[in-house]
Amino acid sequence: MQLHYGDLCDSAGLVKIISKVKPDEIYNLAAQSHVSFDLAEYTGNVDAMGTLRLLDAIQTCGMDKNVKFFQASTSEMFGKVQEVPQKESTPFYPRSPYGRKILFLFRMS
């Protein structure tokens, strides 16, 4: 395995990496290590829009039919837990701005 470093706020850089590497799989584990609601716009830019930029880079490179994309997200999307344990069909009920931003992204894509 070889790691490639990039910035989720840099669309052109993401396209450059994906077009160079031509990966079969992409695992997005990126996020802020500490979410601050004082920096809510930055949180959305990195965590939510960053994922959207990554998906767009895959599409821009013409690899959207070939690349398996794995997204690690936050339990904040579930918010007020409706069932335990959560699974793919568990309804989202976010209770924080962070959870709502992530949920909004997934509804867009």
Side-chain angles (χ1 to χ4, degrees), residues 37-66:
F37 294 115
D38 293 334
L39 300 171
E41 184 177 343
Y42 182 72
T43 298
N45 191 28
V46 173
D47 295 351
M49 295 305 296
T51 304
L52 185 60
R53 286 184 197 98
L54 189 51
L55 291 168
D56 187 52
I58 293 168
Q59 187 176 36
T60 298
C61 293
M63 299 185 67
D64 50 314
K65 303 286 189 255
N66 305 327

Side-chain angles (χ1 to χ4, degrees), residues 13-31:
L14 295 173
V15 169
K16 184 178 177 182
I17 292 168
I18 292 170
S19 65
K20 177 183 175 187
V21 176
K22 299 190 184 329
D24 296 318
E25 298 178 354
I26 295 176
Y27 296 82
N28 183 19
L29 309 176

Side-chain angles (χ1 to χ4, degrees), residues 1 3-4 8 23-30 54 58 67-72:
M1 178 171 80
L3 297 177
H4 298 271
L8 290 180
D24 296 318
E25 298 178 354
I26 295 176
Y27 296 82
N28 183 19
L29 309 176
L54 189 51
I58 293 168
V67 173
K68 292 181 183 177
F69 181 77
F70 300 90
Q71 174 66 32

Side-chain angles (χ1 to χ4, degrees), residues 72-99:
S73 287
T74 174
S75 62
E76 289 282 328
M77 293 180 352
F78 294 107
K80 186 176 178 184
V81 177
Q82 303 294 304
E83 65 183 12
V84 176
Q86 292 85 36
K87 54 186 182 254
E88 287 187 31
S89 61
T90 300
F92 294 127
Y93 192 44
R95 307 307 297 158
S96 72
Y98 177 68

